[in-house]
Amino acid sequence: MPKEFTIILEPGADGWWIATIPEVPGAFSQGRSRKEARANVLDALSELMAARREAALRDRTAAAEIESVPISR
């Protein structure tokens, strides 16, 4: 399993920067600078993963086993 994600930063319109994480569909954001776009996409990744976790736990079956696995940097 990869221990890192890829962030793609691209210039957008009107001076904005667009940031995406291609390994995670839906993980994208923007910012006025590259630094801001990078920080924003990492926040978006965190929020997206939390929302997906909530949905998975809510929709699980009674027989499901749940395990947490840390991913170190």
Side-chain angles (χ1 to χ4, degrees):
M1 175 170 46
K3 294 186 179 181
E4 62 187 31
F5 290 106
T6 306
I7 297 175
I8 298 173
L9 295 158
E10 300 178 280
D14 298 326
W16 286 86
W17 283 85
I18 310 303
T20 58
I21 299 176
E23 294 91 346
V24 183
F28 59 90
S29 193
Q30 63 184 9
R32 286 283 185 190
S33 66
R34 292 179 66 217
K35 183 178 179 178
E36 183 180 54
R38 182 184 185 280
N40 288 347
V41 79
L42 291 174
D43 287 343
L45 174 63
S46 180
E47 292 295 322
L48 181 61
M49 299 301 282
R52 288 182 178 171
R53 180 183 303 112
E54 275 184 42
L57 291 174
R58 182 181 56 243
D59 298 338
R60 67 183 165 81
T61 64
E65 295 182 19
I66 300 169
E67 180 180 346
S68 293
V69 180
I71 299 174
S72 61
R73 291 183 118 183

